[in-house]
Amino acid sequence: MARRNESILLALLPILILSSCSPLGGGKAFTYREPVTDPDIIVDIYLPEKAWQGTTLFSDNHNPQRPRIVAVNMRGEIVWQYLVPENLKEYTNPGFDAELLPNNNILFVLPRNGVYEIDRKGNVIWSYMDDKVSHDVDRLPNGNILVVWGGGDRISDAQVKEINPQGKIVWAWYAKDHFNRSPYKDISWEGWTHANAVTRLKNGNTLISLRNFCFVAEVNPQGSVIRKIGEGIFYSQHDPEVLSNGNILVANQNIPPKGLTGYPNELAVAIRQKQPRWHQAIEIDPNTSNVVWQSQKFGFEDMPVRDANRLPNGNTLITTATRLIEVTKDGEVVWELKIIGIKNIPTEKVSKGLYKAQRIAQP
């Protein structure tokens, strides 16, 4: 998801609102006059003088009977939430992504179902129905949306689509046009490429994260691959973010996940067989491939790490399956939110738990 709204203010309505969203089959949104506590959410670290102040928006699927989009204050109290309707609860994996729009609405993707824009009362303002969407959706300045498909994509599928407000596909990118060859064509793990993120760059090119290929592709408007970023460094990367200095920040694994077949880097496969899996956020210079910053390593209890955002004060907000963690450049944890109730089983955390988070400036 493109992180371009740190300066957007999260406007809060003065009363509690409950509304039904008919197109979503009864989804409900709540804005609270006073923040409310949730026994499943705990903030156990908070250093106000070092943390970047704001509201944190994230999708929460730790309870599959109550998937939701939540906004919390720095104390972890809920100030707004949207409950996914009963008939759509199954559409939260892989990649239940949500983002705040400049108009204060929320845009989100329900994987294998569609894309929705709702207002703060839960009313559906716009939707696009498509069972080949997943992981990431962005609203572009021209009103179109970018969305990826990597939740079981085949070689014949478009991994990225740009959709106009009328629901017409105006641009699409097919990995088969560039990578239907060795060593990529035989890769298969939850799809072919398992594309999991897309960002439109200022130069008009598009940045696409191809998880199963373990690199990020930059493609021009004609669809040609201008460069591959992070090959040999990124492993099962998620949500690459282009920083103001031109570097790339990603949520990264040190090795390819087990079960991946046909992976092109034989050395990485050998490493996988000898080392335990761990995840972390890393920042690389795409021109030199040098790692210029890396977070602490996250192990078994946090797997997987799927989002990392650089905040205006230089801190980094990292999303693991069970925690949201804000760390300084030196690695000090200055804010930590924990989700209670997720079992210590990685396979469960992949389909449940947290996916991405966004820190929004305080009014």
Side-chain angles (χ1 to χ4, degrees):
M1 173 188 302
R3 305 296 177 183
R4 57 186 180 275
N5 37 37
E6 283 86 355
S7 61
I8 297 172
L9 304 183
L10 183 61
L12 301 178
L13 300 179
I15 59 174
L16 171 64
I17 296 175
L18 169 63
S19 64
S20 176
C21 317
S22 298
L24 277 176
K28 298 176 181 179
F30 303 84
T31 298
Y32 297 95
R33 181 188 299 272
E34 297 292 338
V36 299
T37 59
D38 185 316
D40 289 349
I41 297 176
I42 297 173
V43 169
D44 59 353
I45 299 175
Y46 176 33
L47 303 179
E49 69 281 4
K50 294 184 178 182
W52 195 68
Q53 302 299 311
T55 302
T56 306
L57 180 77
F58 59 94
S59 54
D60 172 22
N61 192 40
H62 83 277
N63 180 349
Q65 300 305 311
R66 192 185 57 172
R68 57 185 179 168
I69 302 168
V70 180
V72 301
N73 61 24
M74 296 300 288
R75 296 181 297 277
E77 300 165 328
I78 296 176
V79 296
W80 180 87
Q81 69 174 325
Y82 171 79
L83 304 179
V84 175
E86 186 70 30
N87 64 315
L88 295 177
K89 287 180 178 179
E90 62 183 291
Y91 301 110
T92 55
N93 187 61
F96 177 21
D97 177 36
E99 71 168 32
L100 177 69
L101 297 176
N103 62 4
N104 202 40
N105 289 344
I106 304 295
L107 182 72
F108 63 95
V109 58
L110 292 181
R112 301 188 176 98
N113 175 262
V115 178
Y116 299 89
E117 178 185 348
I118 60 170
D119 63 20
R120 288 314 182 93
K121 297 181 180 180
N123 299 311
V124 176
I125 306 302
W126 183 86
S127 64
Y128 171 73
M129 308 311 299
D130 187 346
D131 62 1
K132 289 189 176 182
V133 295
S134 64
H135 288 90
D136 190 20
V137 61
D138 286 349
R139 172 67 50 78
L140 301 176
N142 64 1
N144 294 350
I145 66 163
L146 274 178
V147 67
V148 297
W149 167 234
D153 64 310
R154 300 181 179 182
I155 290 180
S156 59
D157 289 326
Q159 280 69 34
V160 179
K161 288 174 280 193
E162 180 178 344
I163 316 296
N164 69 15
Q166 292 72 44
K168 180 181 178 181
I169 299 174
V170 297
W171 185 82
W173 185 80
Y174 292 80
K176 68 178 181 179
D177 295 339
H178 314 277
F179 298 108
N180 190 15
R181 55 182 170 80
S182 296
Y184 307 107
K185 65 183 180 67
D186 296 323
I187 290 175
S188 178
W189 185 60
E190 297 178 336
W192 179 37
T193 71
H194 202 84
N196 60 20
V198 62
T199 299
R200 180 62 47 79
L201 303 176
K202 292 181 179 180
N203 63 7
N205 292 346
T206 304
L207 201 66
I208 305 167
S209 173
L210 303 172
R211 188 201 70 173
N212 284 359
F213 294 177
C214 295
F215 62 75
V216 175
E218 181 178 347
V219 306
N220 66 17
Q222 292 72 43
S224 299
V225 177
I226 302 303
R227 58 177 174 170
K228 295 184 290 183
I229 301 171
E231 192 167 29
I233 301 172
F234 295 163
Y235 297 109
S236 301
Q237 75 287 336
H238 283 71
D239 210 42
E241 172 183 317
V242 181
L243 303 178
S244 59
N245 60 8
N247 291 345
I248 306 291
L249 178 70
V250 301
N252 191 55
Q253 294 184 28
N254 72 321
I255 46 179
K258 293 180 180 179
L260 188 65
T261 59
Y263 185 72
N265 190 329
E266 295 181 0
L267 175 61
V269 174
I271 293 174
R272 183 191 66 202
Q273 295 171 348
K274 298 177 182 179
Q275 296 183 5
R277 295 173 61 183
W278 46 260
H279 302 217
Q280 67 180 160
I282 65 171
E283 176 186 346
I284 73 163
D285 181 336
N287 298 313
T288 65
S289 294
N290 291 332
V291 176
V292 298
W293 180 84
Q294 55 189 326
S295 73
Q296 69 194 79
K297 297 177 181 179
F298 298 95
F300 182 84
E301 67 280 1
D302 286 300
M303 291 168 50
V305 174
R306 289 186 286 203
D307 191 20
N309 301 324
R310 183 61 45 80
L311 301 176
N313 65 352
N315 293 350
T316 302
L317 181 65
I318 301 170
T319 305
T320 81
T322 59
R323 294 190 290 166
L324 304 179
I325 305 162
E326 181 180 346
V327 301
T328 66
K329 183 178 180 180
D330 296 328
E332 181 183 7
V333 177
V334 298
W335 185 80
E336 178 181 79
L337 179 148
K338 291 183 177 179
I339 296 292
I340 307 301
I342 304 177
K343 296 180 181 178
N344 199 21
I345 304 174
T347 54
E348 180 174 323
K349 292 177 183 178
V350 168
S351 60
K352 299 179 182 178
L354 306 180
Y355 186 68
K356 293 182 184 180
Q358 175 186 3
R359 179 68 55 75
I360 302 159
Q362 284 185 335

